[in-house]
Amino acid sequence: MVKFSMKAAIWVLAATVLFSACKSKHPSSLNPGKKSTATNSDFASKNGKKSKKKKGAADSQESDGFVVLPYKSQVVGPNLVFIEGGRFTMGALEEDVMSTHDNRERTVSVQSFYMDETEIANLHYLEYLHYTQRDSSAEVYAKALPDTTVWYDPLSFNDSYVTYYFRHPGFRMYPVVGISWIQANDYSTWRTNFVNSNLAKQANGKSKKGSPIKRSKKKGQAAAESEALMASSPSARPAVESGYVLPDYRLPTEAEWEYASKAMIGTQYADENQSNQRIYPWDGSSLRNPRGKNKGQMLANFKRARGDYAGIAGKSNDGAIITEEIYKYPPNDFGLYNMAGNVNEWVYDVYRPLSYMDFKDLNPLRRDGFLDDEKRYDAKNSNSVVNDKLRVYKGGSWNDVAYWLSPGTRRFLSQDSSTATIGFRCAMISTGRNK
């Protein structure tokens, strides 16, 4: 027994020595070292002084060297979920019943990014309006207001929604609608500035409670927080170099949205081969939960058939006649809620019917009419509606049949228009490594 214990101890010691010998000593983004590998000069420490030197070393190094702040990971903003990037087949998977032929299959890769786990709710947008009214002009505030008249229909009694849907407390966590693409972008800009302003206060020690940011408990993160404003004025957001600053919130690109919606993880076999594609943001072709205590319940909020928005009272099929709360239905494999149904969602891309032909296969984006100018389309004579102000929206809504729930389907609307079926969620770049 003693001999066995001694042998085990020797093997453990040998493995430890081998692991230490194999461990890379090369600098990385998270651990760049104390010296520059390009100039061999010492990096300044967090207090602006040079790093500690070994005994006997020359003391000629200036104290105002290049400052490299501690950095452990990207600060994760509120409501964001990490989406690991990868390759996927972008495009429509179902029969093109609309005969648009505008999203044919092609293979693209998307870098890792973050996305809101939910659609932006009425409560979130009311918060935005509160600060906009307080800090901006009446004209800016008026432009930010959602169009609540999108609920009005001369052949329907939806008048109550015009008054109550956006502001009544009972609808707080329902997705905001009546928002144009332009307004969604304005909200994203405000959100970026507001969250980073909170970070700046936190870095200055002015806000220690109630911060929406997920704090890292890793050693060295506190130092990054305290020094985040080193290269910026007290009123500005933290310097980018500090690592304690959020990249911009923005609308996701069409490729990002479609990739996140399909959530093709857990479907691989034999290295990089995939066993199946996904028609919807979940496995299979059924729109009902196939197992568990919720077996048979609808997986999304949509219009099942003509005149059927929710089924029969007492046995409702999806539980919602119009929209429903943003956490109501099961999330997909990335942890994102309502990537099918509830409300359609704006994406960043300009609409072009031939986007599948002229595209980059890495992080594709159609930002304008490059290679497909709007002059090619006869909009003046009403033979086409294509122009650089049309924006894509995806996902299907409470007022759409199941066909539009497929991530590969796409529609478009003018960027300054809004409806009762379109909302939005934000995305953000992931800095650094893919994982």
Side-chain angles (χ1 to χ4, degrees):
M1 184 70 180
V2 175
K3 288 183 178 180
F4 178 80
S5 299
M6 287 293 294
K7 286 183 178 180
I10 292 172
W11 277 110
V12 170
L13 180 62
T16 304
V17 172
L18 183 62
F19 176 79
S20 300
C22 295
K23 188 176 181 180
S24 175
K25 296 182 180 179
H26 296 302
S28 67
S29 297
L30 302 183
N31 185 21
K34 297 181 179 180
K35 286 178 175 284
S36 167
T37 55
T39 63
N40 203 38
S41 61
D42 290 332
F43 293 135
S45 62
K46 62 182 180 181
N47 57 8
K49 296 181 180 180
K50 62 183 180 182
S51 300
K52 291 183 179 180
K53 304 185 76 173
K54 296 180 180 179
K55 292 183 179 180
D59 196 25
S60 60
Q61 179 71 31
E62 296 180 2
S63 62
D64 58 346
F66 178 61
V67 177
V68 178
L69 293 171
Y71 176 71
K72 295 300 179 184
S73 62
Q74 179 175 345
V75 176
V76 180
N79 202 44
L80 294 179
V81 172
F82 178 72
I83 310 296
E84 183 183 352
R87 177 206 71 205
F88 84 112
T89 302
M90 184 177 180
L93 297 178
E94 289 193 296
E95 181 183 357
D96 189 1
V97 297
M98 304 300 292
S99 299
T100 54
H101 306 294
D102 63 351
N103 200 21
R104 295 185 179 178
E105 294 182 1
R106 66 270 192 198
T107 300
V108 301
S109 291
V110 176
Q111 179 60 279
S112 296
F113 62 101
Y114 290 90
M115 180 177 276
D116 276 329
E117 68 174 354
T118 65
E119 298 145 339
I120 297 301
N122 287 323
L123 184 65
H124 303 142
Y125 206 82
L126 284 167
E127 178 189 23
Y128 163 55
L129 291 180
H130 166 76
Y131 289 104
T132 301
Q133 186 176 35
R134 190 186 71 175
D135 301 331
S136 304
S137 66
E139 182 181 4
V140 172
Y141 174 73
K143 288 182 178 179
L145 290 171
D147 181 9
T148 59
T149 63
V150 294
W151 288 106
Y152 178 76
D153 190 317
L155 297 178
S156 297
F157 186 68
N158 294 334
D159 306 41
S160 300
Y161 298 136
V162 175
T163 305
Y164 297 109
Y165 179 82
F166 177 57
R167 296 186 181 275
H168 195 279
F171 291 113
R172 281 174 177 166
M173 298 310 291
Y174 283 59
V176 66
V177 297
I179 302 297
S180 70
W181 182 92
I182 293 174
Q183 288 175 313
N185 274 276
D186 290 342
Y187 173 88
S188 302
T189 300
W190 168 84
R191 186 180 178 189
T192 301
N193 294 333
F194 189 85
V195 174
N196 275 309
S197 177
N198 281 343
L199 280 174
K201 293 175 183 178
Q202 189 175 331
N204 276 332
K206 295 179 181 178
S207 176
K208 296 182 180 180
K209 295 182 179 180
S211 172
I213 303 304
K214 297 177 183 177
R215 291 173 175 270
S216 172
K217 296 182 180 179
K218 295 181 180 179
K219 192 175 181 181
Q221 187 69 12
E225 294 175 8
S226 63
E227 299 297 329
L229 294 184
M230 181 174 289
S232 62
S233 64
S235 61
R237 75 181 191 176
V240 173
E241 292 85 353
S242 71
Y244 196 61
V245 58
L246 283 172
D248 291 342
Y249 284 93
R250 56 174 173 79
L251 290 178
T253 67
E254 184 175 3
E256 286 175 335
W257 194 98
E258 195 169 319
Y259 176 81
S261 180
K262 286 184 176 179
M264 294 293 294
I265 56 177
T267 62
Q268 297 86 352
Y269 76 97
D271 197 16
E272 294 188 26
N273 294 317
Q274 288 180 313
S275 58
N276 61 279
Q277 267 281 12
R278 279 181 171 161
I279 299 175
Y280 304 113
W282 52 82
D283 286 332
S285 58
S286 174
L287 296 162
R288 295 180 182 270
N289 198 323
R291 61 183 68 88
K293 64 179 181 180
N294 296 320
K295 184 177 180 179
Q297 292 186 6
M298 289 293 180
L299 293 169
N301 177 16
F302 66 103
K303 183 178 179 180
R304 192 166 67 169
R306 180 175 295 175
D308 185 0
Y309 290 85
I312 301 171
K315 196 63 177 177
S316 178
N317 57 45
D318 67 27
I321 291 180
I322 56 166
T323 57
E324 182 52 278
E325 291 195 347
I326 56 179
Y327 290 102
K328 177 66 175 179
Y329 302 92
N332 70 2
D333 286 351
F334 276 133
L336 303 174
Y337 292 83
N338 291 301
M339 293 300 285
N342 215 22
V343 290
N344 290 286
E345 297 174 16
W346 289 113
V347 297
Y348 194 85
D349 294 53
V350 163
Y351 175 78
R352 281 295 187 276
L354 301 179
S355 291
Y356 67 90
M357 296 182 63
D358 302 317
F359 70 97
K360 287 290 184 179
D361 57 8
L362 173 62
N363 299 325
L365 168 66
R366 172 65 68 181
R367 70 178 80 241
D368 52 33
F370 180 69
L371 296 181
D372 195 8
D373 195 276
E374 63 181 354
K375 294 179 180 179
R376 296 176 56 185
Y377 301 90
D378 189 13
K380 291 183 178 180
N381 296 315
S382 301
N383 291 321
S384 174
V385 295
V386 176
N387 59 64
D388 291 344
K389 293 184 179 180
L390 292 181
R391 300 288 175 170
V392 177
Y393 65 89
K394 299 172 73 72
S397 76
W398 59 271
N399 194 37
D400 290 316
V401 294
Y403 172 78
W404 296 108
L405 304 187
S406 181
T409 57
R410 63 202 299 251
R411 286 175 286 181
F412 57 88
L413 189 68
S414 176
Q415 64 185 22
D416 57 2
S417 299
S418 58
T419 77
T421 64
I422 302 179
F424 71 101
R425 73 179 76 207
C426 298
M428 178 186 293
I429 186 177
S430 172
T431 59
R433 296 183 178 180
N434 197 49
K435 292 185 178 180

